[in-house]
């Protein structure tokens, strides 16, 4: 079997994670599944070309029997029955401890969009998860303050989110080529923690991002089955919740659960990545697929309501959990009025999800855990979940999922300016190693940068008109970039990373549309030796 070559910079305690046995396990996963991953990425490109040609999507005729069939996924383990509040965040020790002390039922430990894949973050995240599994996670800040998990036995269940299928890990190579990052993230975690989590009754459980088809879910199922067999875990020990954050996956929710079957735990309804996917797939489909300001696109928009209602119905029909989207608000210590307005919005959003039948929802900050719990407690009562809420009233067609032109809202200079400013600000933070950036009292991750640059690209290339009558063109965007770059340097009190501006402008105004901004940004990290 091929061996892995580790080429990343030195990271303290890395020998605890990058053991010969763990690296051999990851090498085996990559050798078995890398080629199939490549085929599936090619299938993505083919499907995107088909969408460009036809201007539409539909449910797959070949899998109609799966959608019509009478089947369910196995009941979830006890640790996953109650998921009414889930907190998300990166795996640096301090934020991990805050999440584990938050009172949430689940912590999504993010190795993906909230994590800059500096090698120190990749290895450090695995060390955080290693320590958390063993109840020994602690942290001492530079000013001497000490942090520790209050009670590991009652802490949230941990669901790591590995990187998506599109990403490679350049610091681990096999036969001269980078390994699949998803296999590295999953492989290192399950190798070191899978058995212990299984014995605790708390895993190994995962979130799966960026899935675009049931065939990609099938690959994950094959990976899980092989890992269980190799590590001596009972079949079905690994359970996964899939983020339905691409428009193509929204047409294959039944099929995704069916492919995972014994390894399925639920589905999650994202927002920014879902809108990013709509723009990516229909970027050249004309004005009917051109969205208003991204902040105007709420989950109450007809296409978003159709998507979320279909997700709840599909999950509960199949016995899987339906998890709602993110409340990204970061409470202000200085402005009670900001908190009052934001809390009212969060309460309204979580109430919508709970009454729609969702079994739980996400928050980004520990202070929002009690609010989200209060809303779901009122609906759930003594029950752990709402799996009995079948939502038989829901009837969703392909046209409903694609009703972009029915989305209320305007395209404004303020919205365009916000995309420019937040896109550059986030990239500046990401390049510095912070993938979870607090911007305007919101916890932003890579999805924000993706939707921001995508919306600018779409508005420019479709000649979208703002509410003032002004046409969005390159000259307008370049003016806003210059103004917002200057303002950002004042906000930061220093220079903006020049690559942040270059990357944003290149991806927002270039003739070609890059599938993922983060892949281009990753090249910058590698060039810097990070």
């Amino acid at each position: 079997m091929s061996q892995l070559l580790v080429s990343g910079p030195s990271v303290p305690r890395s020998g605890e994670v990058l053991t010969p046995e763990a690296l051999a396990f990851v090498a085996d996963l990559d050798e078995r599944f890398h080629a199939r991953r490549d085929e599936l990425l090619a299938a993505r490109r083919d499907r995107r070309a088909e969408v460009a040609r036809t201007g539409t999507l539909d449910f797959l005729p070949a899998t109609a029997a799966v959608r019509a069939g009478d089947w369910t996924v196995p009941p979830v383990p006890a640790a996953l029955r109650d998921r009414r509040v889930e907190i998300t965040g990166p795996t640096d020790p301090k934020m991990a401890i805050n999440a584990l002390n938050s009172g949430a039922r689940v912590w999504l430990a993010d190795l993906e969009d909230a994590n800059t894949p500096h090698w120190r973050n990749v290895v450090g995240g695995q060390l955080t998860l290693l320590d958390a599994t063993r109840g020994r996670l602690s942290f001492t800040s530079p000013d001497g303050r000490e942090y520790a998990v209050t009670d590991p036995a009652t802490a949230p269940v941990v669901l790591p989110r590995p990187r998506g299928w599109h990403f490679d890990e350049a610091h681990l190579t096999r036969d001269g080529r980078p390994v699949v990052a998803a296999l590295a993230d999953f492989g290192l975690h399950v190798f070191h923690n899978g058995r212990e989590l299984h014995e605790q009754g708390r895993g190994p459980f995962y979130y799966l991002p960026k899935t675009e088809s049931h065939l990609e879910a099938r690959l994950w199922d094959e990976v899980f089955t092989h890992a269980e067999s190799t590590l001596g875990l009972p079949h079905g020990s690994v359970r996964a919740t899939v983020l339905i954050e691409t428009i193509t996956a929204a047409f294959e929710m039944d099929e995704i659960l069916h492919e995972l079957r014994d390894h399925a735990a639920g589905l999650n309804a994202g927002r920014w990545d879902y809108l990013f996917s709509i723009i990516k797939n229909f970027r050249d489909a004309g004005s009917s697929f051109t969205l208003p300001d991204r902040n105007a696109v709420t989950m109450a928009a007809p296409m978003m309501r159709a998507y979320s209602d279909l997700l709840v119905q599909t999950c509960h029909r199949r016995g899987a959990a339906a998890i709602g989207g993110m409340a990204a608000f970061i409470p202000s210590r200085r402005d009670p009025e900001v908190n009052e307005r934001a809390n009212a919005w969060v309460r309204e959003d979580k109430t919508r999800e709970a009454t729609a039948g969702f079994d739980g929802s996400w928050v980004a900050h520990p202070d929002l855990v009690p609010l989200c719990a209060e809303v779901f407690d009122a609906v759930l009562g003594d029950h752990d979940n709402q799996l009995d809420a079948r939502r038989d009233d829901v009837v969703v067609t392909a046209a409903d999922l694609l009703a972009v032109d029915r989305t209320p809202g305007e395209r404004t200079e303020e919205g365009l300016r916000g995309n420019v400013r937040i896109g550059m600000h986030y990239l500046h933070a990401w390049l510095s190693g912070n993938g979870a950036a607090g911007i305007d009292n919101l916890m932003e991750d890579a999805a924000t940068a993706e939707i921001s640059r995508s919306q600018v690209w779409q508005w420019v290339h479709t000649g979208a008109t703002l509410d003032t009558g002004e046409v969005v063109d390159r000259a307008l965007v370049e003016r806003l970039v210059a103004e917002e770059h200057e303002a950002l340097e004042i906000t930061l009190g220093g220079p903006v990373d020049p690559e942040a501006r270059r990357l944003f402008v290149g991806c927002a105004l270039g003739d070609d549309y890059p599938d993922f901004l983060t892949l281009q940004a990753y090249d910058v990290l590698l060039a810097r030796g990070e």
Side-chain angles (χ1 to χ4, degrees):
M1 178 174 45
S2 302
Q3 294 184 337
L4 293 191
L5 175 65
V6 181
S7 60
S10 177
V11 178
R13 296 180 58 200
S14 61
E16 297 176 40
V17 170
L18 304 176
T19 64
E21 297 81 7
L23 292 175
F25 179 72
V26 173
D28 176 53
L29 292 178
D30 194 69
E31 186 170 358
R32 290 174 181 272
F33 302 111
H34 195 131
R36 180 58 180 154
R37 190 289 304 259
D38 289 348
E39 293 172 357
L40 291 171
L41 293 185
R44 286 184 180 183
R45 293 189 288 271
D46 292 344
R47 192 174 198 184
R48 156 61 196 151
E50 179 71 8
V51 171
R53 185 182 67 81
T54 64
T56 192
L57 279 169
D58 206 344
F59 297 97
L60 301 177
T63 55
V66 172
R67 294 192 297 277
D70 184 15
W71 54 269
T72 60
V73 303
V76 297
L80 289 180
R81 289 175 191 157
D82 188 338
R83 301 176 62 173
R84 67 189 68 198
V85 188
E86 302 193 357
I87 190 166
T88 74
T91 51
D92 69 88
K94 182 181 176 182
M95 293 191 73
I97 291 167
N98 289 340
L100 292 170
N101 288 335
S102 68
R105 303 302 175 100
V106 167
W107 170 41
L108 185 159
D110 202 356
L111 303 171
E112 192 227 8
D113 270 5
N115 180 59
T116 301
H118 282 177
W119 183 236
R120 66 177 182 269
N121 287 349
V122 172
V123 176
Q126 294 288 342
L127 286 165
T128 295
L129 296 172
L130 187 80
D131 289 342
T133 297
R134 289 152 183 79
R136 65 189 189 207
L137 182 61
S138 62
F139 173 72
T140 302
S141 66
D143 61 6
R145 284 186 291 178
E146 296 185 352
Y147 299 82
V149 180
T150 304
D151 183 5
T154 60
V157 177
V158 180
L159 273 67
R161 177 165 70 173
R163 282 169 284 182
W165 282 129
H166 63 285
F167 225 105
D168 289 335
E169 176 48 67
H171 301 99
L172 294 174
T173 57
R174 182 183 62 82
D175 295 337
R177 67 181 301 192
V179 304
V180 177
L183 298 177
D185 293 342
F186 164 74
L188 289 173
H189 180 266
V190 76
F191 181 86
H192 289 295
N193 303 283
R195 180 169 294 281
E196 187 148 349
L197 288 169
H198 179 66
E199 290 172 354
Q200 295 173 5
R202 294 169 65 85
F205 309 138
Y206 299 90
Y207 263 106
L208 303 180
K210 306 290 189 292
T211 301
E212 296 197 16
S213 75
H214 70 285
L215 297 179
E216 295 180 14
R218 179 184 297 174
L219 180 57
W220 270 119
D221 185 70
E222 292 169 356
V223 171
F224 294 157
T225 298
H226 176 70
E228 289 166 339
S229 175
T230 302
L231 299 175
L233 293 169
H235 180 72
S237 299
V238 177
R239 301 298 284 268
T241 302
V242 180
L243 289 96
I244 303 299
E245 54 186 354
T246 65
I247 183 64
T248 52
F251 284 88
E252 300 183 35
M253 288 191 267
D254 274 307
E255 293 90 330
I256 287 168
L257 288 173
H258 190 265
E259 291 293 347
L260 285 169
R261 203 66 174 269
D262 292 344
H263 296 118
L267 303 176
N268 166 268
R271 182 184 173 198
W272 288 148
D273 266 318
Y274 189 73
L275 295 175
F276 160 47
S277 172
I278 290 173
I279 295 174
K280 178 193 293 189
N281 279 279
F282 293 97
R283 60 184 180 266
D284 43 18
S287 59
S288 62
F289 280 92
T290 304
L291 288 163
D293 288 359
R294 64 181 176 87
N295 285 330
V297 185
T298 70
M299 296 302 290
M303 68 171 185
M304 302 301 284
R305 181 175 291 277
Y307 145 70
S308 60
D309 284 349
L310 181 61
L311 188 146
V312 172
Q313 182 192 58
T314 302
C315 283
H316 291 178
R317 183 183 177 203
R318 306 307 183 186
I323 306 300
M326 172 67 79
F329 176 61
I330 304 172
S332 171
R333 307 300 184 193
R334 303 174 183 174
D335 194 334
E337 292 185 8
V338 167
N339 291 343
E340 184 177 355
R341 291 194 300 271
N343 285 337
W345 182 89
V346 171
R347 181 178 296 277
E348 179 183 356
D349 188 53
K350 299 310 174 190
T351 299
R352 175 193 56 77
E353 290 179 330
T355 55
F358 281 94
D359 301 294
S361 191
W362 285 3
V363 299
H365 194 279
D367 287 357
L368 295 182
V369 169
L371 192 161
C372 185
E374 178 188 336
V375 170
F376 275 87
D377 287 348
V379 173
L380 293 175
D382 295 331
H383 298 283
D384 289 335
N385 51 60
Q386 299 194 79
L387 291 180
D388 57 347
R390 296 289 296 271
R391 292 303 309 271
D392 293 330
D393 59 304
V394 172
V395 178
V396 172
T397 66
D400 295 328
L401 292 173
L402 299 177
V404 177
D405 59 345
R406 294 173 55 203
T407 303
E410 300 289 340
R411 288 182 287 275
T412 69
E413 181 178 311
E414 181 182 3
L416 179 61
R417 187 180 291 274
N419 282 334
V420 170
R421 175 174 53 83
I422 293 171
M424 287 194 296
H425 192 164
Y426 180 79
L427 280 167
H428 171 83
W430 192 94
L431 290 167
S432 73
N434 179 18
I439 303 174
D440 297 343
N441 290 110
L442 295 174
M443 185 65 75
E444 306 289 16
D445 68 9
T448 305
E450 294 286 19
I451 180 64
S452 295
R453 63 95 178 183
S454 296
Q455 187 156 64
V456 174
W457 191 98
Q458 185 188 41
W459 286 6
V460 169
H461 283 78
T462 59
T465 303
L466 301 179
D467 59 345
T468 59
E470 187 172 12
V471 175
V472 180
D473 59 14
R474 186 183 188 95
L476 172 59
V477 174
E478 287 178 337
R479 174 174 67 82
L480 296 183
V481 166
E483 292 173 0
E484 293 303 320
H485 184 269
E486 182 179 355
L488 183 55
E489 290 192 326
I490 295 172
T491 299
L492 296 174
V496 177
D497 189 315
E499 291 292 343
R501 178 172 181 169
R502 183 189 69 79
L503 284 166
F504 183 83
V505 171
C507 289
L509 292 177
D511 291 335
D512 295 327
Y513 177 93
D515 282 343
F516 291 99
L517 167 61
T518 46
L519 292 181
Q520 297 204 359
Y522 188 51
D523 288 339
V524 174
L525 298 186
L526 297 178
R528 294 175 174 179
E530 297 176 319

